Amino acid sequence: MWTEPHGTEHITLIDPRDGKPSAVVRCADAVDVDAAVSTARRLFDDGPQWPLPDRLRALSRLAEIIERRVEDFADIISVEIGAPAAFARQGQVGTAVSTLRGIIEAASTYRFAETVADSVVIAEPAGPVAAITPWNFPLHQALGKVGAALACGCPVVLKPSELTPLSSYLLAEAALEAGVPAGWLSVLAGRGEVTGRALVEHPDIEVVSFTGSTEVGRSIAATAGARLARVALELGGKSPSVLLDDLDDDAFAAAVTTSLRFCLMNAGQTCAAWTRMIVPATRYADAAALLRELAVTYVPGENLGPLVSATHWERVTGFLREGVDAGAEVIHGEPAPPRPAHGYYLNPVVFGRVTPSMRIVREEIFGPVLVVQTHSGDDDAVRLANDTCYGLGGAVFGADQARAVAVARRIRSGSVHINGLNGNRSAPFGGFKQSGIGREFGRWGLEEFLEVKSIQPPPGFAYPISHSLLLEENHE
Ligand code: NAD
């Protein structure tokens, strides 16, 4: 069901490929938030409930509908963030569908009930959820939260980024077609400070699932903490890619190639991007030469999309000027590029000869910018990799796989890839340190939306602990 918001503020969306207006969106205000949350609360408290098998069927239909409408979703994401068509289809929509299917799989096999000695432990839906998402992978991030919350039996109110509400509107349309009952998913467009804040402060929201910047995540955790609402936070990163000193020339070139590719994915606007390449000091010149060759193959407007907004373009290029002023070597790129006449495009920039205290090394830039650091051996590489307030992603490349795994184990980060970039939709994703609290995806993602209850049956009472029976009992 579509309703006109009570809110009267309008946001004009800008297509980052040409800087021209693409749509005008009316924002939800605190009255709209209250209406959506109250509906979610009523559905949760009073029923009629929506049984798990039906929820999983609807989510499977949703995955099929998104796959069928891949072009519609990809086109809208291209309008919203400028993603090139091929990346919009595979990297954005494809990843989102895979995420949703991973959630369905996890929920189909999750043990919602188990016995512990003579207790029965039951995982119950935690209650109405606020899902607040960023703009960089708008559909994937929305589905990571909406899919898991609905799978667990929690009604959700989704507030997408004010830059990317259109893909969430399309998601709402697809959810209706998939049979998600009215009120289980509400989508409210609006600004973080208004719509987002009203959601986080609403007393009937039991779980706030947030993906975005560390700065906003910290303030959301404080607000939610004041009323002890649960939070799950997926925040920023400055992830390392460590190349060990036993790689031969081919493996070294492959490691540099893969690392640069992931750094520049989505124009460098990826939370887990490997934005610090940590190479043996003896191979700095090799790495620099390879990076120069590779970086020119990323062409803005062709295989490299624009930055999301004029403000973001200014922020990212501000870091470039700072890097030069701080004395970093520009291995590749233009450190003071003119603003393009059309769109917010930026060529890749690679810095070398950096020091750990430089802001380009410490802060998340969220653009097509790589810094190259040098190490003197495994211990030094681990020290540099961990010299950050973040701990989201990372990679280790080495000929001796056991040694590479040992280095990966010492990196304080939520996920570390070894000798490649391999996705696994059932594995948890999230951050150590200031990269977040909690995990998304797989069974860990479900647990953000579940409360655990221990039932102590009377002596001699045989609690019916069949997995499927308890599923039904727990969710009908
Ligand atoms: P952001 O923090 O500015 O905004 C994220 C969302 O929070 C938006 O919907 C925004 O409207 C909302 N918001 C802002 N202020 C709010 C407030 N006071 N109360 C409630 N909601 C509020 O982030 P962004 O610029 O949209 O996204 C980029 C950031 O997201 C980067 O830091 C990136 O690393 C991070 N990110 C993290 C992950 C992850 O999984 N760890 C994934 C993608 C992006």
Side-chain angles (χ1 to χ4, degrees):
M1 182 176 79
W2 295 90
T3 52
E4 279 290 308
H6 174 271
T8 52
E9 187 192 352
H10 290 76
I11 293 179
T12 301
L13 305 183
I14 302 293
D15 186 332
R17 296 170 298 185
D18 57 14
K20 298 203 172 117
S22 57
V24 176
V25 173
R26 184 158 156 196
C27 298
D29 64 8
V31 173
D32 298 304
V33 166
D34 187 54
V37 176
S38 302
T39 302
R41 182 86 239 178
R42 213 170 33 250
L43 285 170
F44 185 74
D45 287 348
D46 306 341
Q49 293 293 311
W50 186 26
L52 177 68
D54 293 354
R55 300 200 298 271
L56 296 187
R57 262 192 295 278
L59 290 174
S60 296
R61 279 197 296 270
L62 179 59
E64 285 158 20
I65 292 165
I66 296 173
E67 256 171 351
R68 195 185 72 222
R69 297 189 64 185
V70 59
E71 294 301 330
D72 296 340
F73 278 96
D75 284 353
I76 274 221
I77 292 172
S78 292
V79 167
E80 288 182 323
I81 65 164
F87 183 72
R89 275 195 294 272
Q90 285 139 34
Q92 293 279 348
V93 185
T95 304
V97 170
S98 172
T99 295
L100 181 56
R101 291 206 191 282
I103 289 166
I104 297 164
E105 250 168 51
S108 309
T109 53
Y110 190 75
R111 289 176 60 82
F112 286 91
E114 59 185 300
T115 49
V116 177
D118 55 357
S119 295
V120 180
V121 178
I122 298 177
E124 298 185 349
V129 168
I132 301 178
T133 50
W135 45 264
N136 61 329
F137 284 83
L139 184 64
H140 162 67
Q141 272 129 9
L143 278 175
K145 299 180 189 313
V146 169
L150 292 182
C152 290
C154 301
V156 201
V157 182
L158 168 66
K159 194 215 80 69
S161 164
E162 46 272 56
L163 300 180
T164 55
L166 304 180
S167 44
S168 287
Y169 284 164
L170 206 53
L171 170 61
E173 196 178 286
L176 271 178
E177 188 188 338
V180 173
W184 279 83
L185 169 63
S186 296
V187 176
L188 301 183
R191 295 190 195 282
E193 273 299 325
V194 181
T195 322
R197 180 178 287 278
L199 263 177
V200 176
E201 288 176 349
H202 201 292
D204 282 329
I205 289 291
E206 305 253 8
V207 182
V208 178
S209 178
F210 170 79
T211 299
S213 61
T214 294
E215 189 190 349
V216 173
R218 192 177 281 122
S219 94
I220 284 179
T223 307
R227 59 181 181 87
L228 292 180
R230 291 173 55 173
V231 287
L233 304 174
E234 298 287 340
L235 309 177
K238 189 78 181 176
S239 299
S241 170
V242 173
L243 279 59
L244 300 180
D245 61 15
D246 61 353
L247 294 165
D248 65 23
D249 286 350
D250 286 348
F252 186 80
V256 170
T257 306
T258 304
S259 298
L260 182 69
R261 177 161 56 86
F262 192 44
C263 175
L264 300 182
M265 188 168 103
N266 208 27
Q269 303 166 123
T270 304
C271 53
W274 305 334
T275 50
R276 294 183 296 135
M277 189 182 290
I278 304 178
V279 303
T282 50
R283 305 207 73 170
Y284 176 77
D286 298 342
L290 277 166
L291 286 165
R292 273 187 209 104
E293 264 174 44
L294 291 165
V296 292
T297 65
Y298 290 85
V299 182
E302 289 180 19
N303 57 359
L304 193 68
L307 296 180
V308 75
S309 66
T311 315
H312 193 50
W313 192 94
E314 294 296 342
R315 183 181 171 277
V316 171
T317 52
F319 273 108
L320 303 183
R321 285 190 296 278
E322 262 197 57
V324 173
D325 292 348
E329 176 190 355
V330 179
I331 291 175
H332 173 84
E334 245 184 308
R339 192 73 172 268
H342 301 288
Y344 312 127
Y345 291 97
L346 185 64
N347 273 300
V349 175
V350 182
F351 284 112
R353 309 245 178 254
V354 295
T355 60
S357 61
M358 289 180 186
R359 281 189 67 220
I360 54 168
V361 176
R362 305 214 75 77
E363 294 190 24
E364 181 183 54
I365 298 174
F366 226 54
V369 184
L370 175 72
V371 298
V372 182
Q373 300 177 270
T374 56
H375 71 81
S376 59
D378 294 8
D379 290 347
D380 194 39
V382 169
R383 182 185 62 76
L384 287 168
N386 287 335
D387 183 17
T388 169
C389 67
Y390 296 113
L392 190 56
V396 180
F397 293 86
D400 176 344
Q401 301 205 8
R403 179 176 157 199
V405 170
V407 169
R409 287 292 308 274
R410 294 169 64 194
I411 295 179
R412 298 207 17 95
S413 173
S415 62
V416 185
H417 294 248
I418 295 169
N419 289 340
L421 176 62
N422 315 301
N424 176 355
R425 67 189 186 187
S426 303
F429 180 82
F432 283 28
K433 303 193 268 182
Q434 293 184 27
S435 286
I437 297 175
R439 294 291 180 271
E440 287 197 302
F441 315 140
R443 72 177 164 82
W444 297 268
L446 298 177
E447 286 168 355
E448 300 294 351
F449 304 106
L450 294 170
E451 284 283 12
V452 175
K453 178 185 286 173
S454 298
I455 291 187
Q456 196 57 46
F461 179 81
Y463 201 97
I465 189 67
S466 124
H467 175 60
S468 60
L469 193 128
L470 275 167
L471 281 184
E472 297 302 310
E473 181 195 84
N474 196 20
H475 293 272
E476 270 180 318

